[in-house]
């Protein structure tokens, strides 16, 4: 793990914007240096651990992009019909040895190797065929059209994919097209997860008076798994310094990252602070965001190992929104990925939203295609930080930027689609 040195993350308290918090976290983190080799069939969602250099040209031969007739562009006439004589048929995957002289052509299928000397394919529908006589009207085709060049997709000896690339379906296909069946990927990021709070009960336990079921471990655990991380579930921890310390020590030994929820708001922070001060250099931030605000981040050490702590607020919506706003990209970076900024949609807001400049607000919302061809967004019910139902009904978050003020009905707002988050 990287040492923090002069980083802006020295332990202590600070007020900062979401952008400042993200930048400081990104600056502190270095990707894992663990890599492993896995079969392509189980590589979906993993991050490429080294540049993948192409061992072949793809395609390996010039070939036809169409079903039609292959001919030499030297025979193509621009002022009068081009008349060719077909000498046979070429199928994809079938090597051929038919020589074609001047004025000759070959019927060719998509993907069939272009015969030596022929450089152009006229699709069936653009020529007239009568027995073996093929006629092309002037202007129907240009020299060299419909020929796919050897190596036009991937070139022998050049990197086909860079280290840090997230392996999605397209990348898996691309790797397969190179004939490669095993790839080097970064080790899965191991994230130890636990919830804090005396009032929490785990599923299956009776709900004692004044208690609630622990939902954050399920929300956050699922968000982590969808990002491809390995979750070490450490369960529930009471609001007790000794219990917290021993669970944190266990977490540091077992994982690269420790993700907690609860226990960092004003009322709780004191005993948590004392424990964290013993284990590392954790900064407590009041991040100017809603929902959210209390958040702690920094390195922890125990038994000669180290891990990054991300301590999220306990309110269920705040926990998930803070995870997306402050932790998601950082964890992807740790996992070796090169996270690209999430795409934002602009949508017209159905209602007015009151907002004061100086904090970023995330409001749960439903985005729909509008009749005018644009996007339309409306908020889902109560925006209370504990109301998980309105998060579940939503398909997006309206993001009201730090410096932004109130929004009038019909104004365009930035929208983050949930579908883009995993
Ligand atoms: P805290 O950040 O610990 O002060 O918690 C803030 C609120 O979130 C309190 O109402 C807690 O009961 C609730 N909360 C904390 N952790 C969880 C959890 N794991 N699942 C559901 N609610 C929680
Ligand atoms: Mg608590």
């Amino acid at each position: 793990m990287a040492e923090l040195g002069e980083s802006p993350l020295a332990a202590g308290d600070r007020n900062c914007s979401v952008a400042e918090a993200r930048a400081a976290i990104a600056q502190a983190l270095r990707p894992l240096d663990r890599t492993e080799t896995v079969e392509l069939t189980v590589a979906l969602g993993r991050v490429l651990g080294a540049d993948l250099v192409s061992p072949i040209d793809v395609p390996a031969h010039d070939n036809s992009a169409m079903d039609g007739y292959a001919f030499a562009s030297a025979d193509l006439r621009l002022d009068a019909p081009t008349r060719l004589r077909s000498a046979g048929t070429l199928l994809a995957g079938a090597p051929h040895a038919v020589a074609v002289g001047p004025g000759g052509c070959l019927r060719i299928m998509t993907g069939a190797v272009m015969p030596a000397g022929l450089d152009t394919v006229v699709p069936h529908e653009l020529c007239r065929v009568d027995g073996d006589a093929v006629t092309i009207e002037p202007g129907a085709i240009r020299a060299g059209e419909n020929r796919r060049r050897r190596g036009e997709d991937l070139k022998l000896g050049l990197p086909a994919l860079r280290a840090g690339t997230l392996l999605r379906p397209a990348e898996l296909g691309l790797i397969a097209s190179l004939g490669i069946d095993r790839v080097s990927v970064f080790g899965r990021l191991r994230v130890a997860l636990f919830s804090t709070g005396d009032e929490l009960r785990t599923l299956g336990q009776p709900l004692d008076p004044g208690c609630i079921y622990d939902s954050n471990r399920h929300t956050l655990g699922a968000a982590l798994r969808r990002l491809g991380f390995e979750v070490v579930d450490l369960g529930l921890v009471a609001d007790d310094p000794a219990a917290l310390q021993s669970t944190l020590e266990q977490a540091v030994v077992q994982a690269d990252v420790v993700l907690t929820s609860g226990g960092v708001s004003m009322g709780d922070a004191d005993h948590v602070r004392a424990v964290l001060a013993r284990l590392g250099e954790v900064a407590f931030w009041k991040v100017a965001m809603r929902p959210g605000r209390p958040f702690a981040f920094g390195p922890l050490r125990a038994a000669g190992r180290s891990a990054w702590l991300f301590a999220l607020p306990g309110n269920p919506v705040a926990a998930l929104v803070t995870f997306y706003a402050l932790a998601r990209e950082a964890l992807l970076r740790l996992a070796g990925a090169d996270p690209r900024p999430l795409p934002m949609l602009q949508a017209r807001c159905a209602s007015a939203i009151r907002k004061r400049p100086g904090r970023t607000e995330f409001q749960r919302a439903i985005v729909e295609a509008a009749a005018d061809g644009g996007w339309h967004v409306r908020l889902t019910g109560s925006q209370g930080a504990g109301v998980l139902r309105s998060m579940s009904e939503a398909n997006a978050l309206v993001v009201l930027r730090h410096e932004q003020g109130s929004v009038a009905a019909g104004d365009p707002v930035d929208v983050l689609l949930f579908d883009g988050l995993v």
Side-chain angles (χ1 to χ4, degrees):
M1 192 178 73
E3 289 306 315
L4 289 177
E6 293 296 303
S7 102
L9 284 174
D13 283 37
R14 60 205 66 232
N15 294 297
C16 62
S17 67
V18 171
E20 286 162 350
R22 289 160 61 98
I25 295 169
Q27 198 195 331
L29 301 178
R30 296 287 169 278
L32 291 184
D33 52 11
R34 285 199 308 273
T35 57
E36 57 180 329
T37 300
V38 299
E39 301 276 338
L40 196 57
T41 48
V42 294
L44 180 64
R46 303 297 298 269
V47 178
L48 203 59
D51 288 356
L52 193 84
V53 174
S54 184
I56 55 172
D57 279 323
V58 177
H61 308 276
D62 287 8
N63 68 87
S64 175
M66 290 283 197
D67 291 344
Y69 288 86
F71 64 100
S73 57
D75 289 331
L76 187 64
R77 300 190 58 170
L78 301 175
D79 51 346
T82 301
R83 298 185 196 283
L84 304 166
R85 198 146 299 278
S86 175
T89 298
L90 294 174
L91 302 176
H96 85 103
V98 190
V100 180
C105 67
L106 287 167
R107 192 166 162 249
I108 193 164
M109 301 302 151
T110 305
V113 175
M114 289 293 284
L118 306 191
D119 61 4
T120 305
V121 175
V122 58
H124 282 295
E125 57 275 21
L126 296 184
C127 56
R128 228 170 38 248
V129 181
D130 182 8
D132 60 359
V134 176
T135 308
I136 308 166
E137 291 303 323
I141 187 98
R142 285 198 304 269
E145 277 191 319
N146 301 316
R147 172 181 45 158
R148 299 176 183 146
R149 298 287 199 144
R150 170 183 182 149
E152 75 173 21
D153 189 356
L154 304 168
K155 273 220 164 16
L156 168 71
L158 294 185
L161 292 172
R162 294 285 184 186
T165 303
L166 182 66
L167 300 179
R168 303 168 305 171
E171 283 76 29
L172 298 183
L174 189 152
I175 296 168
S177 77
L178 296 172
I180 295 174
D181 61 356
R182 291 163 68 78
V183 281
S184 164
V185 293
F186 283 102
R188 256 187 218 289
L189 190 71
R190 274 195 294 270
V191 184
L193 176 65
F194 64 86
S195 299
T196 67
D198 288 342
E199 77 283 23
L200 301 179
R201 292 293 175 271
T202 205
L203 302 185
Q205 288 181 332
L207 199 58
D208 300 319
C211 291
I212 57 170
Y213 283 118
D214 169 18
S215 58
N216 288 349
R217 218 154 21 99
H218 296 272
T219 318
L220 297 171
L224 291 167
R225 290 187 189 96
R226 282 187 84 166
L227 288 165
F229 307 144
E230 195 179 306
V231 177
V232 181
D233 187 345
L234 296 180
L236 291 178
V237 177
D239 289 316
D240 163 60
L244 181 63
Q245 177 156 345
S246 84
T247 308
L248 282 169
E249 284 168 352
Q250 207 186 324
V252 171
V253 170
Q254 293 184 49
D256 308 300
V257 170
V258 184
L259 184 69
T260 68
S261 68
V264 283
S265 43
M266 284 321 282
D268 296 295
D270 288 350
H271 86 263
V272 177
R273 262 163 214 265
V275 172
L276 293 177
R278 281 199 285 280
L279 296 179
E281 297 93 48
V282 170
F284 283 77
W285 293 344
K286 290 190 183 74
V287 183
M289 64 183 284
R290 199 168 95 159
R293 210 166 122 88
F295 173 71
F297 170 78
L300 299 177
R301 287 174 251 282
R305 305 265 332 238
S306 57
W308 290 102
L309 173 76
F310 290 77
L312 308 179
N315 269 311
V317 176
L320 190 54
V321 169
T322 321
F323 176 82
Y324 287 138
L326 302 177
R328 175 190 173 276
E329 191 180 300
L331 299 184
L332 285 170
R333 199 178 295 279
L334 270 175
D338 184 11
R340 298 176 196 160
L342 289 166
M344 288 268 196
L345 211 68
Q346 287 261 307
R348 281 194 189 288
C349 196
S351 56
I353 306 175
R354 285 177 47 161
K355 149 98 170 50
R356 56 180 169 77
R359 70 178 181 206
T360 307
E361 292 194 10
F362 299 87
Q363 309 241 359
R364 289 141 263 172
I366 297 173
V367 182
E368 285 160 330
D372 64 4
W375 296 99
H376 186 273
V377 64
R378 61 191 157 89
L379 304 185
T380 56
S382 163
Q383 297 289 322
V387 183
L388 209 45
R389 182 168 52 84
S390 58
M391 191 77 171
S392 163
E393 285 167 357
N395 64 2
L397 289 172
V398 169
V399 182
L400 302 174
R401 283 170 281 107
H402 187 83
E403 67 285 1
Q404 194 168 353
S406 290
V407 172
D411 277 358
V413 287
D414 287 340
V415 171
L416 193 60
L417 293 178
F418 285 162
D419 281 346
L421 292 173
V422 286

